[in-house]
Amino acid sequence: MSFAPSPALAPNPWVRILGALEKKVTRHSFDACLKPTRFSHASGTTLFVRVPSTDIQETCDRYGDIIQEAMESLEMEFQEVKFVTPEQDPAAARLRDDGGFAPMPAHASNAPQGIGQRSNGQRPGSPASSAQQARFDWNSAAQLNPRYTFDGFVIGNGNQFARAAAGAVAERPSKAYNPLFLYGGVGMGKTHLMHAIGHEMKMRMPQSSICYVSSEKFTNEMINSLRNDRMTSFRDKFRSVDLLLIDDIQFLAQKERTQEEFFHTFNALHESMKQIVIASDRPPKELPEIEDRLRSRFEWGLIADIQPPDLETKVAILQKKAESEQTTLPIDVALFIASNVRTNVRELEGALVRLIAWCGLNGMEITLPTTQQCLKAFIDTQVRKITIESIQRSVAEQFGMRVAELKQKNNSRSVVVPRQIAMYLAKQMTEASLPEIGRQFGGKHHTTVMHSIGKIDELKRTDKDLNRTLNKLMETLNS
Ligand SMILES: Nc1ncnc2c1ncn2[C@@H]1O[C@H](COP(=O)(O)OP(=O)(O)OP(=O)(O)O)[C@@H](O)[C@H]1O
């Protein structure tokens, strides 16, 4: 029997399963994780269900057993449910290629009223639902993570200024600070704060259109629109929002055409008193490959940084996250995790998720000894973790230069070779992707990183000195 969906007629099997699940999980878990999901498509006996983020995907995967039970009790012929993020979903990819925005347009989800995001009131397939002819339906596409709220954000010394600024912007959009520019290291809560602004504004002004987009997605969509001669609808779409939340702005480095387009989007929104919030891994003045006119606009409003959390804040974050998982975390356990996981809040959460799952699966209570046992390998890797920063430091020391020089736009041989070596080591010794490596070297394009790695690979075959240097650096980093 084939379950290929015919959007207008086929009953939505996922909605029936959700109906059953609603009775089996807590209201909080249902609202946070299951409610934002959408039926994507069916293939054979597998149902594909779209989730807005990998976090939610991980949590939904844990419901495998009760989903199985629900399918059996509903006498469905499906064997399995696969949760896919918009990036992993072929159906979403088709929409993206079509120039639509990646996640879950209301007409693609066949979603029931009352579950998930608000409907825009249009009938699926009606002429007005076409992205070409109607204003883009930001209600269905805002992509806000339901867990990233102000309530779920723990305030500490390192983030209180950014949190206060975000609160002011959400309360008085375009009147408090416009733009608000948030910056800070990896996993420090910039995205969380942006989404929280979106949620708060939506609550205060339900009719407002909110767009959260990474600069990478903005770029990709612009390229698609250029290719398909749809720039007018692209512009209309982004210039029709009341709140634009744009993440990872550093990715606009060297993308001149996208910077130009974003410059006009920024001006159009600012002039019409719409709020703009920008997040970046560094302050505007350290974005050398962003045009001056754009950088100066980033400095128009308020710039707020987020510093790494101190021990107390990390403990409070862990307890808050445990609470939302309905788990009690003893204080000694929270202190142990907080003092051993030193990288960022994302890793902190990773350790907690692992601990809860491990204790749950083994039927064990969360105590200090079980935590030490469960997180041993995790913490060992943390201790040994080689980062791009540590590579940059070692390479800079080896060549008697400053780390900043490795990131600057300087093409003299004395800088290019150490930079290529550092990029090569970053690829070999960390799990960072090419774009991430490029990002940490002053916003270099991933093709530049690829070229650098290729160059070192090639030289290594004949250059003994280079091999000696590489071995020495690897030894230092590993020790
Ligand atoms: N102060 C905080 N309170 C509660 N949770 C936090 C806090 N800071 C960070 N987090 C959590 O840490 C995780 C990573 O945060 P987020 O994705 O916002 O980081 P980011 O700064 O945007 O990182 P990146 O630069 O890698 O995108 C999220 O799950 C977020 O909820």
Side-chain angles (χ1 to χ4, degrees):
M1 178 171 177
S2 163
F3 289 88
S6 148
L9 300 172
N12 180 333
W14 180 237
V15 172
R16 293 178 60 212
I17 298 174
L18 277 180
L21 295 179
E22 199 169 2
K23 295 177 201 125
K24 296 194 175 197
V25 301
T26 61
R27 163 87 3 225
H28 173 83
S29 306
F30 186 83
D31 287 350
C33 302
L34 292 166
K35 204 166 160 181
T37 59
R38 288 287 186 283
F39 172 62
S40 168
H41 63 286
S43 175
T45 55
T46 305
L47 264 186
F48 287 83
V49 172
R50 235 179 286 161
V51 290
S53 67
T54 46
D55 283 355
I56 295 191
Q57 184 180 37
E58 274 170 26
T59 316
C60 287
D61 282 339
R62 283 191 239 142
Y63 293 126
D65 289 347
I66 52 171
I67 291 174
Q68 208 68 43
E69 272 172 31
M71 289 194 296
E72 277 164 25
S73 69
L74 293 166
E75 297 181 352
M76 289 180 153
E77 294 187 23
F78 293 109
Q79 309 271 313
E80 168 184 44
V81 172
K82 275 210 168 115
F83 294 101
V84 285
T85 61
E87 288 74 27
Q88 297 162 342
D89 185 3
R94 279 197 299 278
L95 281 167
R96 262 200 306 276
D97 293 344
D98 252 11
F101 217 53
M104 314 171 193
H107 61 273
S109 68
N110 199 12
Q113 292 295 323
I115 293 182
Q117 288 152 320
R118 284 151 39 96
S119 155
N120 62 355
Q122 288 169 355
R123 290 170 67 81
S126 72
S129 69
S130 151
Q132 300 310 304
Q133 293 167 36
R135 277 185 99 200
F136 189 76
D137 176 16
W138 284 115
N139 275 335
S140 328
Q143 271 194 295
L144 298 179
N145 183 330
R147 293 195 301 167
Y148 292 176
T149 59
F150 282 134
D151 277 349
F153 191 82
V154 175
I155 303 176
N157 286 336
N159 62 30
Q160 60 187 0
F161 181 63
R163 165 65 182 84
V169 159
E171 270 174 40
R172 293 185 299 124
S174 89
K175 298 199 178 69
Y177 314 108
N178 202 13
L180 171 63
F181 191 101
L182 298 170
Y183 77 90
V186 172
M188 289 298 151
K190 303 179 293 293
T191 307
H192 187 135
L193 272 185
M194 286 185 135
H195 286 221
I197 296 173
H199 287 302
E200 184 73 18
M201 184 160 157
K202 196 78 201 160
M203 200 182 72
R204 289 168 181 268
M205 286 169 261
Q207 297 312 317
S208 51
S209 326
I210 293 166
C211 164
Y212 167 80
V213 65
S214 69
S215 69
E216 221 171 358
K217 264 191 182 156
F218 184 87
T219 307
N220 292 342
E221 190 164 347
M222 194 200 74
I223 293 168
N224 268 336
S225 304
L226 274 173
R227 203 176 54 206
N228 299 318
D229 204 12
R230 286 182 179 164
M231 279 311 281
T232 311
S233 56
F234 173 85
R235 286 181 186 133
D236 287 351
K237 179 170 146 184
F238 284 100
R239 293 176 198 183
S240 68
V241 299
D242 299 302
L243 170 63
L244 175 65
L245 305 161
I246 183 151
D247 211 344
D248 291 323
I249 201 78
Q250 69 278 359
F251 280 124
L252 287 195
Q254 291 182 332
K255 298 189 179 103
E256 283 162 27
R257 181 69 183 81
T258 320
Q259 285 187 32
E260 187 184 339
E261 196 54 45
F262 184 67
F263 174 75
H264 295 299
T265 305
F266 182 103
N267 287 344
L269 290 175
H270 203 272
E271 274 160 25
S272 39
M273 305 278 286
K274 306 298 185 194
Q275 178 68 47
I276 303 156
V277 182
I278 300 163
S280 164
D281 66 350
R282 64 201 91 153
K285 65 173 178 334
E286 286 177 26
L287 291 166
E289 278 139 345
I290 297 277
E291 281 179 40
D292 283 346
R293 59 178 183 166
L294 204 46
R295 200 179 22 241
S296 76
R297 272 159 182 76
F298 294 166
E299 290 166 344
W300 273 357
L302 182 74
I303 301 173
D305 67 327
I306 306 187
Q307 294 297 328
D310 51 26
L311 188 71
E312 292 79 1
T313 314
K314 286 203 277 183
V315 168
I317 292 174
L318 281 167
Q319 287 181 321
K320 185 126 208 160
K321 302 275 173 194
E323 205 180 289
S324 73
E325 296 287 327
Q326 289 163 347
T327 302
T328 314
L329 198 65
I331 185 72
D332 57 344
V333 171
L335 267 167
F336 174 80
I337 303 176
S339 41
N340 280 286
V341 177
R342 271 167 268 153
T343 37
N344 65 53
V345 183
R346 194 173 287 124
E347 300 276 357
L348 208 59
E349 279 182 355
L352 180 66
V353 168
R354 189 190 159 88
L355 177 66
I356 295 174
W358 193 80
C359 287
L361 290 171
N362 292 302
M364 287 165 127
E365 211 185 313
I366 299 182
T367 60
L368 189 57
T370 51
T371 306
Q372 283 164 335
Q373 192 186 347
C374 160
L375 296 183
K376 188 174 179 321
F378 188 89
I379 284 164
D380 283 353
T381 8
Q382 291 266 319
V383 172
R384 277 192 280 113
K385 202 160 188 169
I386 295 166
T387 62
I388 297 181
E389 288 96 311
S390 59
I391 292 173
Q392 288 171 333
R393 272 198 303 276
S394 298
V395 171
E397 201 179 317
Q398 168 76 23
F399 287 92
M401 57 200 292
R402 287 179 302 116
V403 169
E405 287 176 89
L406 291 172
K407 302 181 186 180
Q408 281 161 4
K409 207 174 180 179
N410 179 342
N411 287 334
S412 66
R413 199 178 146 71
S414 62
V415 175
V416 168
V417 174
R419 187 190 296 135
Q420 287 176 337
I421 289 179
M423 286 180 172
Y424 173 85
L425 291 174
K427 188 69 200 134
Q428 300 296 321
M429 303 184 83
T430 75
E431 282 171 8
S433 62
L434 296 178
E436 169 64 10
I437 297 175
R439 189 152 74 109
Q440 298 217 33
F441 280 85
K444 302 277 179 301
H445 195 259
H446 68 90
T447 50
T448 310
V449 180
M450 211 154 68
H451 170 79
S452 302
I453 295 168
K455 194 82 204 156
I456 296 297
D457 255 328
E458 193 190 317
L459 288 174
K460 253 178 66 185
R461 285 189 221 130
T462 50
D463 189 334
K464 285 198 181 119
D465 283 344
L466 174 67
N467 275 308
R468 257 196 300 277
T469 309
L470 286 173
N471 286 339
K472 190 172 161 205
L473 283 165
M474 284 186 181
E475 248 173 54
T476 314
L477 286 159
N478 276 324
S479 60

